[in-house]
Amino acid sequence: MCASILTLLFAVAMSISYGIKEPLDYSVFAFSAGAFLLSTFSRYVWSLDRFYINNN
């Protein structure tokens, strides 16, 4: 959740500094939305923790 908020703040600051075109060119808003989506999942199928648990 913190990563999504941090990247959203970065996208807003980038929009204020450089205009709306730059964060859209670098997909900062999409990265923020992806981080928010990942923070809503309760378990991750492809996480490193699950990989280590299954191999031990």
Side-chain angles (χ1 to χ4, degrees):
M1 184 70 161
C2 292
S4 61
I5 294 171
L6 183 65
T7 55
L8 181 63
L9 289 175
F10 176 68
V12 170
M14 197 172 179
S15 298
I16 292 169
S17 300
Y18 298 112
I20 195 66
K21 185 177 182 321
E22 294 300 321
L24 291 175
D25 285 345
Y26 292 109
S27 304
V28 181
F29 291 112
F31 181 74
S32 177
F36 179 73
L37 180 67
L38 284 174
S39 72
T40 60
F41 291 155
S42 60
R43 58 171 250 217
Y44 305 105
V45 179
W46 294 326
S47 71
L48 288 176
D49 293 333
R50 183 165 300 277
F51 176 74
Y52 289 133
I53 290 171
N54 289 339
N55 287 334
N56 288 333

